[in-house]
Every structure is written in C-alpha cells, then in structure tokens.
Amino acid sequence: MRKIVVMGFPGVGKTTMGVQFVEKHFVDSYHPTISNTFHHTLVHRGITYELEIVDSAGQDEHSIWHEQQAIGVDGFVMAYSVISRRSFDVVRVVNDKILDACGTEKVARVLVGNMSDVAGKREVKKRER
C-alpha cells in the first residue's frame, strides 16, 4: 500500500485529477471538497501497487498543517492552477510545510500544473515551473 496526499490551493482541480486518474472520466462541475480518498491499483514495471490517494481540503498560506498528517505518507502531489498566480505561490508554502513536517528534503513530491487547457487565461508561465 502506498499513501499519496494531493495538496494545493482550493479550486485547482485536486478532486478532478483524482477522479480522472482513478475513474478515467472528467468531472466538469466544481463542488468544494472537505477531504476524499481514492483507491487504485497500479502496475509499474511489473510490480503491483495499491494506492491510497488522499484528496486534501484546499490549503492557503495560512492553513494549519500538522506534522501528524505526514505520518505514513509515501509521497505528495502539490497541485496549482496555471490560471491562478496565487495558487502557484501557495505551492511554495505547502512545500515548505511538507519539508518541515517530514524533517528532510528526501520526500517524494510531484508538482502538477493543472488547467493548462483553459486557453488565454494563463497567469503562470511555463518557464516558471
């Protein structure tokens, strides 16, 4: 079992990414998420992994995140929306909170820029990633 936590500013599409990855369909309506958990089996290089994907409630720069929330987590997905500068800036704060909670920089983390399909509204340039 591998536990992955998806974190990011509210409204960046964390739940939509989870549904797309696990259920293979796109959710086109937005309903704020308090928290959600997806389960998925993934085969990579011949090894089967059982994934528990925790879709966290949205974070901002003032959200309280307790170190206990990092216990048993194998990796983090830090999501932002390319059409929201603030969501991108908050990812830096989220990353710092993850590193502080884990006490090391050797933490599996992936940065995901979502909503790149929304033409003409990009606030975060590709080179800024």
Short mmCIF file of all heavy atoms in Angstrom, two decimals, residues 60-108:
data_model
loop_
_atom_site.label_atom_id
_atom_site.label_comp_id
_atom_site.label_asym_id
_atom_site.label_seq_id
_atom_site.Cartn_x
_atom_site.Cartn_y
_atom_site.Cartn_z
N ASP A 60 -4.20 27.24 1.91
CA ASP A 60 -3.67 28.55 1.54
C ASP A 60 -2.47 28.82 2.43
O ASP A 60 -2.04 27.95 3.19
CB ASP A 60 -4.74 29.65 1.65
CG ASP A 60 -5.25 29.88 3.06
OD1 ASP A 60 -4.58 29.49 4.03
OD2 ASP A 60 -6.33 30.49 3.20
N GLU A 61 -1.93 30.00 2.34
CA GLU A 61 -0.70 30.29 3.08
C GLU A 61 -0.90 30.31 4.60
O GLU A 61 0.04 30.23 5.36
CB GLU A 61 -0.03 31.58 2.61
CG GLU A 61 -0.93 32.80 2.54
CD GLU A 61 -1.71 32.92 1.25
OE1 GLU A 61 -2.81 32.36 1.18
OE2 GLU A 61 -1.25 33.59 0.33
N HIS A 62 -2.15 30.35 5.05
CA HIS A 62 -2.44 30.40 6.48
C HIS A 62 -3.00 29.09 7.03
O HIS A 62 -3.31 29.00 8.22
CB HIS A 62 -3.43 31.54 6.78
CG HIS A 62 -2.95 32.86 6.26
ND1 HIS A 62 -1.84 33.51 6.76
CD2 HIS A 62 -3.40 33.63 5.24
CE1 HIS A 62 -1.65 34.62 6.08
NE2 HIS A 62 -2.58 34.72 5.16
N SER A 63 -3.16 28.10 6.17
CA SER A 63 -3.71 26.81 6.63
C SER A 63 -2.76 26.16 7.63
O SER A 63 -1.55 26.18 7.45
CB SER A 63 -3.89 25.86 5.45
OG SER A 63 -4.84 26.35 4.56
N ILE A 64 -3.37 25.58 8.63
CA ILE A 64 -2.58 24.86 9.62
C ILE A 64 -2.45 23.42 9.14
O ILE A 64 -3.43 22.78 8.76
CB ILE A 64 -3.26 24.91 11.00
CG1 ILE A 64 -3.32 26.37 11.47
CG2 ILE A 64 -2.53 24.03 11.99
CD1 ILE A 64 -4.15 26.57 12.72
N TRP A 65 -1.23 22.94 9.12
CA TRP A 65 -0.97 21.57 8.70
C TRP A 65 -0.10 20.94 9.76
O TRP A 65 1.01 21.39 10.01
CB TRP A 65 -0.29 21.56 7.33
CG TRP A 65 -0.34 20.24 6.67
CD1 TRP A 65 -1.45 19.59 6.25
CD2 TRP A 65 0.77 19.40 6.36
NE1 TRP A 65 -1.09 18.39 5.67
CE2 TRP A 65 0.25 18.26 5.74
CE3 TRP A 65 2.13 19.50 6.54
CZ2 TRP A 65 1.06 17.23 5.29
CZ3 TRP A 65 2.94 18.48 6.10
CH2 TRP A 65 2.40 17.35 5.48
N HIS A 66 -0.62 19.90 10.38
CA HIS A 66 0.08 19.26 11.49
C HIS A 66 1.04 18.19 11.00
O HIS A 66 0.77 17.50 10.02
CB HIS A 66 -0.92 18.66 12.48
CG HIS A 66 -1.86 19.68 13.05
ND1 HIS A 66 -1.47 20.58 14.00
CD2 HIS A 66 -3.15 19.96 12.76
CE1 HIS A 66 -2.49 21.37 14.30
NE2 HIS A 66 -3.52 21.01 13.56
N GLU A 67 2.14 18.04 11.69
CA GLU A 67 3.14 17.04 11.33
C GLU A 67 2.55 15.63 11.29
O GLU A 67 2.98 14.80 10.51
CB GLU A 67 4.32 17.08 12.31
CG GLU A 67 5.14 18.35 12.20
CD GLU A 67 6.28 18.40 13.20
OE1 GLU A 67 6.57 17.37 13.83
OE2 GLU A 67 6.89 19.47 13.33
N GLN A 68 1.55 15.37 12.11
CA GLN A 68 0.94 14.04 12.15
C GLN A 68 0.33 13.66 10.80
O GLN A 68 0.20 12.49 10.48
CB GLN A 68 -0.16 13.96 13.22
CG GLN A 68 0.34 14.11 14.63
CD GLN A 68 0.39 15.58 15.07
OE1 GLN A 68 0.28 16.50 14.28
NE2 GLN A 68 0.59 15.79 16.35
N GLN A 69 -0.05 14.67 10.00
CA GLN A 69 -0.64 14.41 8.69
C GLN A 69 0.37 13.83 7.71
O GLN A 69 -0.02 13.30 6.67
CB GLN A 69 -1.26 15.68 8.13
CG GLN A 69 -2.48 16.13 8.91
CD GLN A 69 -2.97 17.49 8.48
OE1 GLN A 69 -2.34 18.50 8.75
NE2 GLN A 69 -4.09 17.50 7.79
N ALA A 70 1.65 13.89 8.02
CA ALA A 70 2.68 13.35 7.14
C ALA A 70 3.05 11.91 7.51
O ALA A 70 3.75 11.24 6.74
CB ALA A 70 3.93 14.23 7.19
N ILE A 71 2.56 11.43 8.63
CA ILE A 71 2.90 10.08 9.08
C ILE A 71 2.30 9.05 8.13
O ILE A 71 1.11 9.08 7.83
CB ILE A 71 2.42 9.84 10.53
CG1 ILE A 71 3.17 10.75 11.49
CG2 ILE A 71 2.59 8.37 10.92
CD1 ILE A 71 2.67 10.74 12.91
N GLY A 72 3.13 8.15 7.65
CA GLY A 72 2.67 7.08 6.78
C GLY A 72 2.45 7.48 5.33
O GLY A 72 1.97 6.69 4.53
N VAL A 73 2.81 8.70 4.99
CA VAL A 73 2.63 9.18 3.62
C VAL A 73 3.89 8.86 2.81
O VAL A 73 5.01 9.14 3.24
CB VAL A 73 2.35 10.71 3.59
CG1 VAL A 73 2.27 11.22 2.16
CG2 VAL A 73 1.07 11.01 4.35
N ASP A 74 3.69 8.27 1.65
CA ASP A 74 4.81 7.89 0.79
C ASP A 74 5.17 8.97 -0.22
O ASP A 74 6.27 8.96 -0.78
CB ASP A 74 4.49 6.59 0.05
CG ASP A 74 4.32 5.44 1.02
OD1 ASP A 74 5.32 5.05 1.64
OD2 ASP A 74 3.19 4.94 1.16
N GLY A 75 4.25 9.89 -0.48
CA GLY A 75 4.54 10.95 -1.43
C GLY A 75 3.44 11.98 -1.47
O GLY A 75 2.32 11.75 -0.99
N PHE A 76 3.77 13.12 -2.05
CA PHE A 76 2.84 14.24 -2.12
C PHE A 76 2.73 14.73 -3.56
O PHE A 76 3.73 14.79 -4.28
CB PHE A 76 3.32 15.41 -1.26
CG PHE A 76 3.36 15.09 0.20
CD1 PHE A 76 4.49 14.53 0.77
CD2 PHE A 76 2.26 15.35 1.02
CE1 PHE A 76 4.54 14.23 2.13
CE2 PHE A 76 2.30 15.06 2.36
CZ PHE A 76 3.44 14.50 2.92
N VAL A 77 1.53 15.08 -3.95
CA VAL A 77 1.29 15.78 -5.21
C VAL A 77 0.91 17.19 -4.82
O VAL A 77 -0.05 17.40 -4.07
CB VAL A 77 0.15 15.13 -6.03
CG1 VAL A 77 -0.16 15.95 -7.27
CG2 VAL A 77 0.51 13.70 -6.40
N MET A 78 1.69 18.16 -5.28
CA MET A 78 1.41 19.56 -5.00
C MET A 78 0.84 20.17 -6.28
O MET A 78 1.53 20.27 -7.29
CB MET A 78 2.68 20.29 -4.57
CG MET A 78 3.30 19.71 -3.32
SD MET A 78 4.85 20.51 -2.84
CE MET A 78 5.87 20.20 -4.26
N ALA A 79 -0.44 20.53 -6.22
CA ALA A 79 -1.15 21.00 -7.41
C ALA A 79 -1.38 22.50 -7.36
O ALA A 79 -1.63 23.07 -6.30
CB ALA A 79 -2.48 20.27 -7.53
N TYR A 80 -1.28 23.10 -8.54
CA TYR A 80 -1.64 24.52 -8.70
C TYR A 80 -2.35 24.66 -10.03
O TYR A 80 -2.31 23.76 -10.88
CB TYR A 80 -0.40 25.42 -8.63
CG TYR A 80 0.52 25.33 -9.81
CD1 TYR A 80 0.42 26.22 -10.86
CD2 TYR A 80 1.49 24.33 -9.89
CE1 TYR A 80 1.27 26.12 -11.96
CE2 TYR A 80 2.34 24.23 -10.97
CZ TYR A 80 2.22 25.13 -12.01
OH TYR A 80 3.05 25.03 -13.09
N SER A 81 -3.01 25.77 -10.22
CA SER A 81 -3.68 26.05 -11.47
C SER A 81 -2.84 27.06 -12.25
O SER A 81 -2.45 28.10 -11.71
CB SER A 81 -5.07 26.65 -11.22
OG SER A 81 -5.60 27.17 -12.42
N VAL A 82 -2.60 26.78 -13.53
CA VAL A 82 -1.80 27.71 -14.34
C VAL A 82 -2.55 29.01 -14.60
O VAL A 82 -1.95 29.99 -15.05
CB VAL A 82 -1.34 27.07 -15.68
CG1 VAL A 82 -0.49 25.85 -15.43
CG2 VAL A 82 -2.52 26.77 -16.59
N ILE A 83 -3.86 29.04 -14.28
CA ILE A 83 -4.61 30.28 -14.46
C ILE A 83 -4.76 31.05 -13.15
O ILE A 83 -5.53 32.01 -13.07
CB ILE A 83 -5.99 30.01 -15.11
CG1 ILE A 83 -6.88 29.16 -14.21
CG2 ILE A 83 -5.83 29.38 -16.47
CD1 ILE A 83 -8.33 29.03 -14.72
N SER A 84 -4.00 30.65 -12.12
CA SER A 84 -4.06 31.32 -10.82
C SER A 84 -2.66 31.52 -10.24
O SER A 84 -2.04 30.58 -9.74
CB SER A 84 -4.90 30.51 -9.84
OG SER A 84 -4.77 31.02 -8.53
N ARG A 85 -2.17 32.72 -10.31
CA ARG A 85 -0.86 33.05 -9.75
C ARG A 85 -0.81 32.72 -8.26
O ARG A 85 0.16 32.19 -7.75
CB ARG A 85 -0.57 34.54 -9.98
CG ARG A 85 0.49 35.18 -9.13
CD ARG A 85 1.88 34.65 -9.33
NE ARG A 85 2.24 34.66 -10.72
CZ ARG A 85 3.31 34.03 -11.20
NH1 ARG A 85 4.10 33.36 -10.40
NH2 ARG A 85 3.60 34.05 -12.47
N ARG A 86 -1.89 33.03 -7.54
CA ARG A 86 -1.91 32.80 -6.10
C ARG A 86 -1.75 31.31 -5.78
O ARG A 86 -1.03 30.94 -4.86
CB ARG A 86 -3.20 33.33 -5.49
CG ARG A 86 -3.20 33.21 -3.97
CD ARG A 86 -4.26 34.04 -3.32
NE ARG A 86 -4.18 33.86 -1.87
CZ ARG A 86 -5.21 33.85 -1.08
NH1 ARG A 86 -6.42 34.02 -1.56
NH2 ARG A 86 -5.05 33.67 0.21
N SER A 87 -2.40 30.44 -6.55
CA SER A 87 -2.29 29.01 -6.30
C SER A 87 -0.85 28.53 -6.49
O SER A 87 -0.37 27.66 -5.78
CB SER A 87 -3.24 28.21 -7.20
OG SER A 87 -2.79 28.17 -8.54
N PHE A 88 -0.15 29.11 -7.44
CA PHE A 88 1.25 28.77 -7.68
C PHE A 88 2.12 29.25 -6.52
O PHE A 88 3.00 28.52 -6.05
CB PHE A 88 1.72 29.41 -8.99
CG PHE A 88 3.13 29.06 -9.38
CD1 PHE A 88 3.47 27.76 -9.75
CD2 PHE A 88 4.11 30.02 -9.39
CE1 PHE A 88 4.77 27.44 -10.11
CE2 PHE A 88 5.41 29.72 -9.76
CZ PHE A 88 5.74 28.42 -10.12
N ASP A 89 1.86 30.46 -6.03
CA ASP A 89 2.63 30.99 -4.91
C ASP A 89 2.39 30.16 -3.64
O ASP A 89 3.32 29.95 -2.85
CB ASP A 89 2.27 32.46 -4.66
CG ASP A 89 2.70 33.36 -5.81
OD1 ASP A 89 3.60 32.97 -6.60
OD2 ASP A 89 2.13 34.47 -5.93
N VAL A 90 1.17 29.68 -3.45
CA VAL A 90 0.84 28.89 -2.26
C VAL A 90 1.57 27.54 -2.28
O VAL A 90 1.92 27.01 -1.23
CB VAL A 90 -0.68 28.72 -2.12
CG1 VAL A 90 -1.06 27.62 -1.14
CG2 VAL A 90 -1.32 30.04 -1.69
N VAL A 91 1.85 27.00 -3.46
CA VAL A 91 2.56 25.72 -3.56
C VAL A 91 3.92 25.80 -2.86
O VAL A 91 4.36 24.85 -2.23
CB VAL A 91 2.72 25.28 -5.03
CG1 VAL A 91 3.78 24.21 -5.18
CG2 VAL A 91 1.40 24.75 -5.55
N ARG A 92 4.57 26.93 -2.93
CA ARG A 92 5.87 27.10 -2.24
C ARG A 92 5.69 26.95 -0.73
O ARG A 92 6.50 26.33 -0.05
CB ARG A 92 6.48 28.46 -2.56
CG ARG A 92 6.82 28.64 -4.00
CD ARG A 92 7.22 30.09 -4.27
NE ARG A 92 7.05 30.46 -5.64
CZ ARG A 92 8.03 30.52 -6.52
NH1 ARG A 92 9.25 30.22 -6.17
NH2 ARG A 92 7.78 30.87 -7.77
N VAL A 93 4.63 27.54 -0.20
CA VAL A 93 4.33 27.45 1.23
C VAL A 93 3.99 26.01 1.60
O VAL A 93 4.47 25.48 2.61
CB VAL A 93 3.16 28.40 1.61
CG1 VAL A 93 2.77 28.23 3.07
CG2 VAL A 93 3.52 29.85 1.31
N VAL A 94 3.18 25.35 0.78
CA VAL A 94 2.81 23.95 1.01
C VAL A 94 4.06 23.08 1.02
O VAL A 94 4.24 22.22 1.90
CB VAL A 94 1.79 23.46 -0.05
CG1 VAL A 94 1.62 21.95 0.00
CG2 VAL A 94 0.45 24.16 0.13
N ASN A 95 4.95 23.30 0.07
CA ASN A 95 6.20 22.53 0.00
C ASN A 95 7.02 22.72 1.28
O ASN A 95 7.54 21.74 1.83
CB ASN A 95 7.02 22.95 -1.22
CG ASN A 95 8.26 22.12 -1.39
OD1 ASN A 95 8.19 20.91 -1.52
ND2 ASN A 95 9.40 22.77 -1.38
N ASP A 96 7.14 23.95 1.74
CA ASP A 96 7.88 24.20 2.98
C ASP A 96 7.25 23.48 4.17
O ASP A 96 7.96 22.94 5.02
CB ASP A 96 7.97 25.71 3.26
CG ASP A 96 8.87 26.44 2.29
OD1 ASP A 96 9.69 25.77 1.60
OD2 ASP A 96 8.76 27.68 2.20
N LYS A 97 5.92 23.47 4.24
CA LYS A 97 5.23 22.79 5.33
C LYS A 97 5.48 21.28 5.28
O LYS A 97 5.68 20.64 6.31
CB LYS A 97 3.73 23.07 5.29
CG LYS A 97 3.40 24.49 5.71
CD LYS A 97 1.90 24.75 5.68
CE LYS A 97 1.61 26.17 6.12
NZ LYS A 97 0.18 26.41 6.27
N ILE A 98 5.49 20.71 4.07
CA ILE A 98 5.77 19.28 3.92
C ILE A 98 7.18 18.98 4.41
O ILE A 98 7.40 18.04 5.18
CB ILE A 98 5.60 18.84 2.45
CG1 ILE A 98 4.13 18.87 2.05
CG2 ILE A 98 6.19 17.45 2.22
CD1 ILE A 98 3.90 18.72 0.55
N LEU A 99 8.15 19.77 3.97
CA LEU A 99 9.54 19.54 4.36
C LEU A 99 9.73 19.69 5.87
O LEU A 99 10.44 18.90 6.49
CB LEU A 99 10.47 20.49 3.60
CG LEU A 99 10.52 20.29 2.08
CD1 LEU A 99 11.42 21.34 1.44
CD2 LEU A 99 10.96 18.89 1.71
N ASP A 100 9.09 20.69 6.45
CA ASP A 100 9.18 20.88 7.90
C ASP A 100 8.58 19.70 8.65
O ASP A 100 9.15 19.21 9.62
CB ASP A 100 8.47 22.17 8.33
CG ASP A 100 9.23 23.42 7.94
OD1 ASP A 100 10.44 23.32 7.59
OD2 ASP A 100 8.62 24.51 7.97
N ALA A 101 7.42 19.23 8.19
CA ALA A 101 6.74 18.13 8.87
C ALA A 101 7.52 16.83 8.77
O ALA A 101 7.57 16.05 9.72
CB ALA A 101 5.34 17.94 8.30
N CYS A 102 8.15 16.61 7.61
CA CYS A 102 8.88 15.36 7.40
C CYS A 102 10.31 15.42 7.93
O CYS A 102 10.94 14.39 8.15
CB CYS A 102 8.90 15.01 5.91
SG CYS A 102 7.24 14.63 5.28
N GLY A 103 10.83 16.63 8.13
CA GLY A 103 12.16 16.78 8.70
C GLY A 103 13.29 16.41 7.75
O GLY A 103 14.43 16.22 8.18
N THR A 104 12.99 16.33 6.46
CA THR A 104 14.01 16.00 5.47
C THR A 104 13.58 16.52 4.10
O THR A 104 12.39 16.71 3.86
CB THR A 104 14.27 14.48 5.39
OG1 THR A 104 15.27 14.22 4.40
CG2 THR A 104 13.00 13.72 5.03
N GLU A 105 14.56 16.73 3.23
CA GLU A 105 14.23 17.12 1.86
C GLU A 105 14.05 15.89 0.97
O GLU A 105 13.69 16.01 -0.19
CB GLU A 105 15.31 18.05 1.30
CG GLU A 105 15.28 19.40 1.96
CD GLU A 105 15.98 20.47 1.15
OE1 GLU A 105 16.21 20.27 -0.06
OE2 GLU A 105 16.28 21.51 1.73
N LYS A 106 14.32 14.71 1.52
CA LYS A 106 14.18 13.47 0.76
C LYS A 106 12.75 12.95 0.88
O LYS A 106 12.51 11.88 1.44
CB LYS A 106 15.19 12.44 1.23
CG LYS A 106 16.61 12.84 0.92
CD LYS A 106 17.59 11.79 1.33
CE LYS A 106 19.00 12.27 0.99
NZ LYS A 106 19.99 11.24 1.29
N VAL A 107 11.82 13.73 0.38
CA VAL A 107 10.41 13.41 0.41
C VAL A 107 9.93 13.36 -1.04
O VAL A 107 10.20 14.30 -1.80
CB VAL A 107 9.60 14.49 1.18
CG1 VAL A 107 8.13 14.18 1.19
CG2 VAL A 107 10.13 14.64 2.59
N ALA A 108 9.24 12.31 -1.42
CA ALA A 108 8.72 12.20 -2.78
C ALA A 108 7.64 13.25 -2.99
O ALA A 108 6.64 13.26 -2.27
CB ALA A 108 8.18 10.80 -3.03
#
